[in-house]
Amino acid sequence: MKINQFSYIPTPHDQIITELKATRFLDANNLKLVDPLALFRDLLLKYFSENISATTRVEKLRNLMATENTDANSYTNGGGSVARSAFYNIGLQLLGFLDDLDFTLSDPLGSMAKLGLPTADVPAILSRDQVIDAWYRLLNTRNKYGQLLIDYIAGRGYYHQFCQDSNFKKPLFFNGKAQAVFDTDKLIREVVYVESPLDTDHDGHRDLLKTNIIRPAETADGFKAPVIFTADPYAQGMNEKWSEAYSHNNVRPLKRKQPNSLTYADVAATEPSTDLPKPRDIKGHTRQTGETFTKFWSYSLNDYFLARGFAVVYSSGIGTKDSDGFRTTGTKAETLSATAVIEWLHGDRVAFTNRFDQLAIKAWWSNGNIGMTGRSYLGTLATAAAFTGVNGLKTAIVEAGLSDYYPYYRENGLVVAPDGDDADVLAEWTFSRQQTAGDYNRIKDQWLTHLKRLTHDQDHDNGSFNQFWDARNVTKENHTVADMLLVHGLNDWNVKTGQVWNSRHQLKSRPITQKLILHQGQHEYLNNFRSFDYTDLVNLWLSNKLLGVQNQVDAIFPDVIVQDNAKAETWTPFKDWGGSETVSKSYSLAQLINLSDHNHFSDQLPEVDFNRYTQKLEQWRSDLYQRNGSPMDRHCIRLVTKPLDDDLVIDGQPSVKLKVQSSADVGMISVALVDYGLAHRLTDVPQTLVSRKILQGYHWRKDDLKEFLPQADETDFKRITEAHINLQNRENSYQVDDLKPNQYYELNFPLQPTFWHLLKGHQVGLVIYASDMVYTIHGNQDIQYTVDLDNSELVLRILNSKNQ
């Protein structure tokens, strides 16, 4: 077990006293105490003060050990000095660690270091002021269950005892972070309908967008709340069964495309010219909504902030249940349906209390500062909204969001949509208006016509870039003014790393603060992990961006944080990703060890193998990378470096230059970069360590504690990254080149960006193949491929050793 903590703000002693007074750990009485031990005892009794009698609090002290032979009650009962070892023995137990299992009473400081826990800079014997400083640091230390100790006792009810005191501060900040001092039993839930600048269903009326609001009760008494907004197209329901009818069959041959000489100007999207209906007449104004709701799906990170004085808003956007319009999968219209809600929250747009009475209502309870959160489609809409520069959006926390839809569904002229997915399937999946029979009956014909057009324009058979896809580059126009926190999994093969790579590099041109976190997961949330204080960092971030707390977050928060793939529970700060800290290293493919002992392969598998792999994709992938012999041996080329003399870190975007020929007038090439070498590799799906142990507030939500753990068994290989290309799209994704059989062509294309740590003795592998059973179409065509290894190379970006 190792706990990494990046969110602590070094704090001077005078400020520590001020903050401990605000949290009621220090008061006029104990500040008069000059004896260190007496003060320490008083702080411990206050720690156990929530709804517990004085006698019970003493009993709590008896159950803590200060030394190997003395309990905390006996140790602190009287005057004298405080030994650092005794302080941290007690501290470790408050943090939930167990003697003889997690630490030893004989060596608490050694245990703290092993666990990665910080200690205050204090001597072996603590003075009164040093007890105060050490106590402050302890409260700001993460416990065994991944929470700051101050957050843990807040969830247990520490702050609740002061809620009736009118002098108790709300909001309250401790070490720059908002505290759970708001009563979640009294949250206000209400619904409004924001009028958007859209008419996507062409019914002659501007699309209304159902918007769900959860806000603190204190807003009714004048508190202006900052807002966390999540644009969630899934929240109103998903058409799982209906969308199956639109799924595409990827078990089909690659088709030849007619060569062309298109330029970007030929495929650039143009803004559709539409006459927008005039706004609805306003027939009155009110501060009272007419609709509420019970709990539906919510993001646990958002729930965490509800206890800390933030309002949380969800809206599913156009084409979803109880809203107007059609789903369009990534167009500007979906972006505008998100920014419309932001504009209302900022005071720049109209919303109504219901769909019919036209009574306008303002977000009078909002302080006008909005931050967006969300993963995947939700994160994509956060990215899209941020890039518009919409007023009021101060920050976006984007987890696994798209920057461009083309490389999500396509790659270098190939369809790379697993499971028959495509833009039309996603549109039908999220068109939850269909779940309301009366509403759907009125617009069914228009929707089916719209969906048919979407299916046609996406051109699933072709794979080339066109106007349809250019209109779905959500970062095409960059007016970003919001500070950005980007989070992505290095093993995410749903939203690949190229998406965050692209967003990040575009954002570098803007005068904003941006931060990046790269973890070892797939398509995962990160707010409940033991080894990393993600939630605390987000608290620090949003307290600054939405409440203006001067907590030094831009300096404290590293520019880039990467979770190490080779060392469990290890997170490291860096200045950049794939930037000036790297050097280029090229490998001639002819000089690599050729495990296949050939430079050619067939894309056609025996029918029995093809059918088996179609049903068992993981087996296909394992056999593809297997270097000890498999049915894939004659259907790929496997190349490896010699064993590494030292650790090597790939930092950025690898690329390959290949000279290739196909035996047909069509063809594709896929490449995978592989880490070869026996190791207990991390799982890329987190394991639940303890269920429902994270307390997000008093009498409020609980969350599971998770972690990426080393696998029980050693494995010989792990895919690092990969790429695919249509041999007819050698120049770019829209220009189609001719392809003649048995003629060599040069390819030069990048793989998905990565940050990967290979251990000494491991080997870098490159596997070259054609059809990808998971991502590309695969028709088991009789095509032979030959690679001129003498004129081909692999190029890696390597982290300079001085930066490791």
Side-chain angles (χ1 to χ4, degrees), residues 570-592:
T570 301
W571 301 75
T572 307
F574 295 94
K575 289 299 297 178
D576 205 351
W577 179 31
S580 59
E581 78 284 3
T582 66
V583 294
S584 183
K585 184 175 180 62
S586 299
Y587 299 85
S588 168
L589 299 195
Q591 295 177 0
L592 297 179

PDB file of all heavy atoms in Angstrom, residues 570-592:
ATOM      1  N   THR A 570       2.037   4.162  -7.824  1.00  0.00           N
ATOM      2  CA  THR A 570       3.083   5.171  -7.974  1.00  0.00           C
ATOM      3  C   THR A 570       2.622   6.223  -8.970  1.00  0.00           C
ATOM      4  O   THR A 570       2.300   5.908 -10.118  1.00  0.00           O
ATOM      5  CB  THR A 570       4.394   4.530  -8.466  1.00  0.00           C
ATOM      6  OG1 THR A 570       4.815   3.534  -7.517  1.00  0.00           O
ATOM      7  CG2 THR A 570       5.488   5.572  -8.632  1.00  0.00           C
ATOM      8  N   TRP A 571       2.585   7.474  -8.524  1.00  0.00           N
ATOM      9  CA  TRP A 571       2.167   8.599  -9.359  1.00  0.00           C
ATOM     10  C   TRP A 571       3.293   9.627  -9.336  1.00  0.00           C
ATOM     11  O   TRP A 571       3.795   9.985  -8.267  1.00  0.00           O
ATOM     12  CB  TRP A 571       0.877   9.223  -8.819  1.00  0.00           C
ATOM     13  CG  TRP A 571      -0.275   8.262  -8.758  1.00  0.00           C
ATOM     14  CD1 TRP A 571      -0.473   7.257  -7.850  1.00  0.00           C
ATOM     15  CD2 TRP A 571      -1.386   8.213  -9.654  1.00  0.00           C
ATOM     16  NE1 TRP A 571      -1.643   6.590  -8.116  1.00  0.00           N
ATOM     17  CE2 TRP A 571      -2.228   7.152  -9.223  1.00  0.00           C
ATOM     18  CE3 TRP A 571      -1.766   8.960 -10.772  1.00  0.00           C
ATOM     19  CZ2 TRP A 571      -3.419   6.833  -9.874  1.00  0.00           C
ATOM     20  CZ3 TRP A 571      -2.946   8.645 -11.416  1.00  0.00           C
ATOM     21  CH2 TRP A 571      -3.760   7.589 -10.972  1.00  0.00           C
ATOM     22  N   THR A 572       3.664  10.123 -10.519  1.00  0.00           N
ATOM     23  CA  THR A 572       4.846  10.981 -10.635  1.00  0.00           C
ATOM     24  C   THR A 572       4.502  12.268 -11.368  1.00  0.00           C
ATOM     25  O   THR A 572       3.831  12.232 -12.403  1.00  0.00           O
ATOM     26  CB  THR A 572       5.961  10.242 -11.402  1.00  0.00           C
ATOM     27  OG1 THR A 572       6.205   8.975 -10.778  1.00  0.00           O
ATOM     28  CG2 THR A 572       7.247  11.057 -11.414  1.00  0.00           C
ATOM     29  N   PRO A 573       4.972  13.409 -10.860  1.00  0.00           N
ATOM     30  CA  PRO A 573       4.731  14.679 -11.562  1.00  0.00           C
ATOM     31  C   PRO A 573       5.757  14.908 -12.666  1.00  0.00           C
ATOM     32  O   PRO A 573       6.925  14.537 -12.536  1.00  0.00           O
ATOM     33  CB  PRO A 573       4.885  15.715 -10.445  1.00  0.00           C
ATOM     34  CG  PRO A 573       5.864  15.092  -9.484  1.00  0.00           C
ATOM     35  CD  PRO A 573       5.610  13.607  -9.546  1.00  0.00           C
ATOM     36  N   PHE A 574       5.319  15.525 -13.749  1.00  0.00           N
ATOM     37  CA  PHE A 574       6.186  15.907 -14.861  1.00  0.00           C
ATOM     38  C   PHE A 574       5.773  17.290 -15.351  1.00  0.00           C
ATOM     39  O   PHE A 574       4.660  17.757 -15.096  1.00  0.00           O
ATOM     40  CB  PHE A 574       6.079  14.899 -16.013  1.00  0.00           C
ATOM     41  CG  PHE A 574       6.582  13.521 -15.677  1.00  0.00           C
ATOM     42  CD1 PHE A 574       5.707  12.534 -15.233  1.00  0.00           C
ATOM     43  CD2 PHE A 574       7.924  13.199 -15.797  1.00  0.00           C
ATOM     44  CE1 PHE A 574       6.152  11.266 -14.914  1.00  0.00           C
ATOM     45  CE2 PHE A 574       8.393  11.933 -15.482  1.00  0.00           C
ATOM     46  CZ  PHE A 574       7.505  10.968 -15.042  1.00  0.00           C
ATOM     47  N   LYS A 575       6.667  17.916 -16.075  1.00  0.00           N
ATOM     48  CA  LYS A 575       6.366  19.242 -16.620  1.00  0.00           C
ATOM     49  C   LYS A 575       5.564  19.172 -17.908  1.00  0.00           C
ATOM     50  O   LYS A 575       4.859  20.107 -18.276  1.00  0.00           O
ATOM     51  CB  LYS A 575       7.661  20.023 -16.873  1.00  0.00           C
ATOM     52  CG  LYS A 575       8.374  20.479 -15.632  1.00  0.00           C
ATOM     53  CD  LYS A 575       7.510  21.431 -14.797  1.00  0.00           C
ATOM     54  CE  LYS A 575       7.184  22.727 -15.542  1.00  0.00           C
ATOM     55  NZ  LYS A 575       6.309  23.606 -14.712  1.00  0.00           N
ATOM     56  N   ASP A 576       5.679  18.047 -18.646  1.00  0.00           N
ATOM     57  CA  ASP A 576       5.021  17.984 -19.944  1.00  0.00           C
ATOM     58  C   ASP A 576       4.781  16.524 -20.301  1.00  0.00           C
ATOM     59  O   ASP A 576       5.216  15.607 -19.595  1.00  0.00           O
ATOM     60  CB  ASP A 576       5.882  18.673 -21.008  1.00  0.00           C
ATOM     61  CG  ASP A 576       5.072  19.192 -22.187  1.00  0.00           C
ATOM     62  OD1 ASP A 576       3.865  18.875 -22.274  1.00  0.00           O
ATOM     63  OD2 ASP A 576       5.640  19.894 -23.034  1.00  0.00           O
ATOM     64  N   TRP A 577       4.098  16.334 -21.409  1.00  0.00           N
ATOM     65  CA  TRP A 577       3.871  15.001 -21.972  1.00  0.00           C
ATOM     66  C   TRP A 577       4.290  15.048 -23.437  1.00  0.00           C
ATOM     67  O   TRP A 577       3.685  15.753 -24.238  1.00  0.00           O
ATOM     68  CB  TRP A 577       2.402  14.623 -21.842  1.00  0.00           C
ATOM     69  CG  TRP A 577       2.049  13.272 -22.425  1.00  0.00           C
ATOM     70  CD1 TRP A 577       2.838  12.165 -22.501  1.00  0.00           C
ATOM     71  CD2 TRP A 577       0.779  12.895 -22.996  1.00  0.00           C
ATOM     72  NE1 TRP A 577       2.146  11.117 -23.081  1.00  0.00           N
ATOM     73  CE2 TRP A 577       0.895  11.538 -23.395  1.00  0.00           C
ATOM     74  CE3 TRP A 577      -0.421  13.563 -23.206  1.00  0.00           C
ATOM     75  CZ2 TRP A 577      -0.173  10.854 -24.000  1.00  0.00           C
ATOM     76  CZ3 TRP A 577      -1.474  12.880 -23.783  1.00  0.00           C
ATOM     77  CH2 TRP A 577      -1.346  11.537 -24.186  1.00  0.00           C
ATOM     78  N   GLY A 578       5.373  14.330 -23.749  1.00  0.00           N
ATOM     79  CA  GLY A 578       5.846  14.304 -25.121  1.00  0.00           C
ATOM     80  C   GLY A 578       6.398  15.622 -25.603  1.00  0.00           C
ATOM     81  O   GLY A 578       6.344  15.929 -26.800  1.00  0.00           O
ATOM     82  N   GLY A 579       6.958  16.412 -24.717  1.00  0.00           N
ATOM     83  CA  GLY A 579       7.490  17.721 -25.083  1.00  0.00           C
ATOM     84  C   GLY A 579       9.003  17.741 -25.135  1.00  0.00           C
ATOM     85  O   GLY A 579       9.651  16.762 -25.524  1.00  0.00           O
ATOM     86  N   SER A 580       9.576  18.840 -24.708  1.00  0.00           N
ATOM     87  CA  SER A 580      11.025  19.045 -24.814  1.00  0.00           C
ATOM     88  C   SER A 580      11.812  18.135 -23.883  1.00  0.00           C
ATOM     89  O   SER A 580      13.037  18.053 -23.988  1.00  0.00           O
ATOM     90  CB  SER A 580      11.364  20.509 -24.509  1.00  0.00           C
ATOM     91  OG  SER A 580      10.934  20.863 -23.201  1.00  0.00           O
ATOM     92  N   GLU A 581      11.127  17.429 -22.978  1.00  0.00           N
ATOM     93  CA  GLU A 581      11.830  16.519 -22.064  1.00  0.00           C
ATOM     94  C   GLU A 581      12.177  15.198 -22.739  1.00  0.00           C
ATOM     95  O   GLU A 581      12.803  14.332 -22.132  1.00  0.00           O
ATOM     96  CB  GLU A 581      10.969  16.260 -20.819  1.00  0.00           C
ATOM     97  CG  GLU A 581       9.823  15.273 -20.987  1.00  0.00           C
ATOM     98  CD  GLU A 581       8.617  15.816 -21.739  1.00  0.00           C
ATOM     99  OE1 GLU A 581       8.670  16.976 -22.194  1.00  0.00           O
ATOM    100  OE2 GLU A 581       7.626  15.075 -21.894  1.00  0.00           O
ATOM    101  N   THR A 582      11.755  15.020 -23.998  1.00  0.00           N
ATOM    102  CA  THR A 582      11.977  13.753 -24.689  1.00  0.00           C
ATOM    103  C   THR A 582      13.028  13.888 -25.785  1.00  0.00           C
ATOM    104  O   THR A 582      13.323  14.984 -26.261  1.00  0.00           O
ATOM    105  CB  THR A 582      10.674  13.241 -25.327  1.00  0.00           C
ATOM    106  OG1 THR A 582      10.272  14.132 -26.374  1.00  0.00           O
ATOM    107  CG2 THR A 582       9.566  13.137 -24.299  1.00  0.00           C
ATOM    108  N   VAL A 583      13.574  12.750 -26.171  1.00  0.00           N
ATOM    109  CA  VAL A 583      14.481  12.667 -27.304  1.00  0.00           C
ATOM    110  C   VAL A 583      13.946  11.596 -28.253  1.00  0.00           C
ATOM    111  O   VAL A 583      13.234  10.677 -27.843  1.00  0.00           O
ATOM    112  CB  VAL A 583      15.926  12.323 -26.877  1.00  0.00           C
ATOM    113  CG1 VAL A 583      16.519  13.442 -26.054  1.00  0.00           C
ATOM    114  CG2 VAL A 583      15.955  11.008 -26.100  1.00  0.00           C
ATOM    115  N   SER A 584      14.285  11.709 -29.518  1.00  0.00           N
ATOM    116  CA  SER A 584      13.816  10.764 -30.518  1.00  0.00           C
ATOM    117  C   SER A 584      14.788   9.590 -30.639  1.00  0.00           C
ATOM    118  O   SER A 584      16.006   9.776 -30.630  1.00  0.00           O
ATOM    119  CB  SER A 584      13.666  11.461 -31.871  1.00  0.00           C
ATOM    120  OG  SER A 584      13.157  10.578 -32.839  1.00  0.00           O
ATOM    121  N   LYS A 585      14.239   8.382 -30.750  1.00  0.00           N
ATOM    122  CA  LYS A 585      15.067   7.186 -30.918  1.00  0.00           C
ATOM    123  C   LYS A 585      14.456   6.340 -32.037  1.00  0.00           C
ATOM    124  O   LYS A 585      13.281   5.974 -31.970  1.00  0.00           O
ATOM    125  CB  LYS A 585      15.141   6.379 -29.626  1.00  0.00           C
ATOM    126  CG  LYS A 585      16.076   5.164 -29.697  1.00  0.00           C
ATOM    127  CD  LYS A 585      16.186   4.485 -28.350  1.00  0.00           C
ATOM    128  CE  LYS A 585      17.104   3.267 -28.379  1.00  0.00           C
ATOM    129  NZ  LYS A 585      18.484   3.596 -28.743  1.00  0.00           N
ATOM    130  N   SER A 586      15.255   6.048 -33.058  1.00  0.00           N
ATOM    131  CA  SER A 586      14.779   5.291 -34.221  1.00  0.00           C
ATOM    132  C   SER A 586      15.357   3.876 -34.213  1.00  0.00           C
ATOM    133  O   SER A 586      16.508   3.665 -33.836  1.00  0.00           O
ATOM    134  CB  SER A 586      15.177   6.002 -35.515  1.00  0.00           C
ATOM    135  OG  SER A 586      14.595   7.284 -35.588  1.00  0.00           O
ATOM    136  N   TYR A 587      14.539   2.930 -34.644  1.00  0.00           N
ATOM    137  CA  TYR A 587      14.945   1.536 -34.759  1.00  0.00           C
ATOM    138  C   TYR A 587      14.683   1.084 -36.195  1.00  0.00           C
ATOM    139  O   TYR A 587      13.526   1.096 -36.650  1.00  0.00           O
ATOM    140  CB  TYR A 587      14.138   0.639 -33.820  1.00  0.00           C
ATOM    141  CG  TYR A 587      14.272   0.949 -32.355  1.00  0.00           C
ATOM    142  CD1 TYR A 587      13.478   1.918 -31.744  1.00  0.00           C
ATOM    143  CD2 TYR A 587      15.169   0.247 -31.549  1.00  0.00           C
ATOM    144  CE1 TYR A 587      13.575   2.185 -30.393  1.00  0.00           C
ATOM    145  CE2 TYR A 587      15.280   0.496 -30.191  1.00  0.00           C
ATOM    146  CZ  TYR A 587      14.482   1.475 -29.621  1.00  0.00           C
ATOM    147  OH  TYR A 587      14.567   1.733 -28.273  1.00  0.00           O
ATOM    148  N   SER A 588      15.720   0.711 -36.905  1.00  0.00           N
ATOM    149  CA  SER A 588      15.521   0.084 -38.208  1.00  0.00           C
ATOM    150  C   SER A 588      14.879  -1.284 -37.983  1.00  0.00           C
ATOM    151  O   SER A 588      15.357  -2.084 -37.175  1.00  0.00           O
ATOM    152  CB  SER A 588      16.858  -0.077 -38.932  1.00  0.00           C
ATOM    153  OG  SER A 588      16.710  -0.930 -40.050  1.00  0.00           O
ATOM    154  N   LEU A 589      13.789  -1.561 -38.702  1.00  0.00           N
ATOM    155  CA  LEU A 589      13.097  -2.828 -38.484  1.00  0.00           C
ATOM    156  C   LEU A 589      13.963  -4.022 -38.889  1.00  0.00           C
ATOM    157  O   LEU A 589      13.830  -5.109 -38.330  1.00  0.00           O
ATOM    158  CB  LEU A 589      11.773  -2.845 -39.250  1.00  0.00           C
ATOM    159  CG  LEU A 589      10.744  -1.777 -38.861  1.00  0.00           C
ATOM    160  CD1 LEU A 589       9.376  -2.135 -39.429  1.00  0.00           C
ATOM    161  CD2 LEU A 589      10.654  -1.578 -37.362  1.00  0.00           C
ATOM    162  N   ALA A 590      14.879  -3.805 -39.837  1.00  0.00           N
ATOM    163  CA  ALA A 590      15.757  -4.899 -40.266  1.00  0.00           C
ATOM    164  C   ALA A 590      16.745  -5.285 -39.175  1.00  0.00           C
ATOM    165  O   ALA A 590      17.253  -6.422 -39.157  1.00  0.00           O
ATOM    166  CB  ALA A 590      16.510  -4.493 -41.539  1.00  0.00           C
ATOM    167  N   GLN A 591      17.024  -4.366 -38.259  1.00  0.00           N
ATOM    168  CA  GLN A 591      17.990  -4.635 -37.197  1.00  0.00           C
ATOM    169  C   GLN A 591      17.351  -5.190 -35.927  1.00  0.00           C
ATOM    170  O   GLN A 591      18.050  -5.561 -34.988  1.00  0.00           O
ATOM    171  CB  GLN A 591      18.771  -3.359 -36.884  1.00  0.00           C
ATOM    172  CG  GLN A 591      19.627  -2.889 -38.056  1.00  0.00           C
ATOM    173  CD  GLN A 591      20.337  -1.582 -37.761  1.00  0.00           C
ATOM    174  OE1 GLN A 591      20.206  -1.015 -36.686  1.00  0.00           O
ATOM    175  NE2 GLN A 591      21.099  -1.105 -38.740  1.00  0.00           N
ATOM    176  N   LEU A 592      16.012  -5.225 -35.890  1.00  0.00           N
ATOM    177  CA  LEU A 592      15.328  -5.819 -34.747  1.00  0.00           C
ATOM    178  C   LEU A 592      15.338  -7.342 -34.876  1.00  0.00           C
ATOM    179  O   LEU A 592      15.526  -7.890 -35.959  1.00  0.00           O
ATOM    180  CB  LEU A 592      13.888  -5.307 -34.666  1.00  0.00           C
ATOM    181  CG  LEU A 592      13.713  -3.794 -34.435  1.00  0.00           C
ATOM    182  CD1 LEU A 592      12.229  -3.433 -34.399  1.00  0.00           C
ATOM    183  CD2 LEU A 592      14.403  -3.340 -33.157  1.00  0.00           C
TER     184      LEU A 592
END
